[in-house]
Every structure is written in structure tokens, then in C-alpha cells.
Amino acid sequence: MPFFPMYCMRFTVAVERAFKGIWRFSAVALVVSLVATLGSLYLSERAHFTPCRLCWYQRIAMYPQVALLTAALIARRRDVGLYSTTLAVIGGVISCYHMLLERFPSL
């Protein structure tokens, strides 16, 4: 019988560490998306760089991340990871295609 309480305590500690890791990941993702959003707004509104069509598609994938991750951190929700990852992957694919077009214009 002494094994069971020790096992429960170890499991509880492992779960607490996992949750701390998830919140740190969400916080870092929020900071990255906020910096990307503010940077793109600065470049288009203050520096007067006109974004191309693919830049707009990348922004469409990035801008909702700030609201999504902020709401997830406030409500302590862990299930937004799928939505956030989906948006990030879509934006990343568009970004890779955009970089390929800039590097090899004949594509």
C-alpha cells in the first residue's frame, strides 16, 4: 500500500510541471504574435511600406493569434493550441511560398 500514495504524488507533480510548461508556451506564443502584429502594423502604417497580397494573407493568419492566445491565457484554456497551431502552420506555408517567390521570381 505505501506505493500508491507515492505514485499519486509523483503523478500530481508531473501534471503540475506539464501545466506550467503549457502556460509558458502560450505566453511565449502570445508575445511572438503580438510583436509580429505590432511590427507589421508599424511597417505598413508608420513606415508606409505597402504590403503585397501574400503579406496580407500572412497577416490574416497572424492577427487573430493575439486575441486567441490572450483569451486562452485569461480563461486558462488549454484547448486553443489546435486552433493556434493551425493558423501558424497556414501562415508559415504562405510565408515559405512568399519567400520562394521573392528568391526565385520565375516560379
Side-chain angles (χ1 to χ4, degrees), residues 8-24:
C8 289
M9 188 172 67
R10 286 183 184 167
F11 179 75
T12 306
V13 170
V15 169
E16 287 176 3
R17 287 181 184 164
F19 280 133
K20 286 180 184 177
I22 289 170
W23 300 128
R24 284 186 197 135

Side-chain angles (χ1 to χ4, degrees), residues 1 4 8 15 27 34 36 38 43-44 47 49-50 53-55 58 62 67 70 72 81-82 85 91 95:
M1 242 355 176
F4 185 72
C8 289
V15 169
L34 187 62
L38 293 176
L43 289 174
S44 63
F49 289 152
T50 305
R53 178 171 280 177
L54 289 175
C55 290
Q58 291 173 30
M62 181 54 67
T70 301
L82 177 64
T85 304
S95 175

Side-chain angles (χ1 to χ4, degrees), residues 56-89:
W56 276 113
Y57 292 150
Q58 291 173 30
R59 290 175 181 203
I60 288 169
M62 181 54 67
Y63 287 173
Q65 296 275 1
V66 177
L68 183 69
L69 292 168
T70 301
L73 282 173
I74 291 172
R76 294 237 181 241
R77 305 253 335 227
R78 296 181 312 151
D79 57 347
V80 298
L82 177 64
Y83 309 119
S84 179
T85 304
T86 303
L87 283 170
V89 166

